[in-house]
Amino acid sequence: MKSESEDMSRTLAWACGMVLQSGPDDRRRIALAYQEAQTLIAGIPKDNGDARPRIVACFKRSDTYRADDDIACVGWILTAVQERVNERDLPDWRQFRKVINRTVKLLPLSSSTVH
């Protein structure tokens, strides 16, 4: 479990850094991708309570954007990490959730998407 938390910390730090360093246009692009990811995962059922299918779908989409050097990959990564944290079985899930929520608040989201 420790290494997964470390990986999660690194991934989340990278995503937060990308949001913080982004200008208004890139933040809008990240926000749009985040909203698309939220819509996508809402249609993917959990596997006996396991969010893995949702997480995998987000990482696949993120990889596609990242291959094109598209900042939208960050929105998909944030959603994937958020889904994993929402399972509430990581040792530091509450701290991760706080960081994710603060990061998402930096995005120009339409109010219907914010959880």
Side-chain angles (χ1 to χ4, degrees):
M1 239 0 146
K2 181 83 167 124
S3 71
E4 184 182 8
S5 286
E6 289 171 359
D7 288 345
M8 189 84 80
S9 292
R10 277 193 293 279
T11 301
L12 194 51
W14 174 81
C16 293
M18 293 299 287
V19 170
L20 288 169
Q21 295 169 26
S22 294
D25 290 342
D26 281 348
R27 283 195 189 186
R28 275 192 291 280
R29 185 105 182 97
I30 294 167
L32 182 61
Y34 177 81
Q35 290 170 312
E36 287 176 12
Q38 294 295 313
T39 301
L40 176 77
I41 63 166
I44 300 174
K46 289 188 176 182
D47 182 14
N48 292 324
D50 184 359
R52 193 81 39 213
R54 294 175 170 189
I55 295 165
V56 169
C58 287
F59 274 115
K60 281 183 182 174
R61 192 70 68 94
S62 174
D63 289 347
T64 302
Y65 283 109
R66 190 179 287 197
D68 290 337
D69 235 5
D70 189 334
I71 193 83
C73 68
V74 176
W76 289 92
I77 290 286
L78 276 173
T79 299
V81 172
Q82 188 174 44
E83 277 299 296
R84 179 63 186 98
V85 169
N86 285 344
E87 290 184 309
R88 299 180 178 187
D89 62 356
L90 288 167
D92 300 321
W93 71 267
R94 284 182 179 86
Q95 288 86 346
F96 286 127
R97 188 171 64 183
K98 284 179 189 171
V99 172
I100 292 166
N101 289 342
R102 287 183 186 141
T103 303
V104 168
K105 283 181 182 171
L106 298 172
L107 299 175
L109 299 171
S110 65
S111 59
S112 63
T113 321
V114 180
H115 295 274

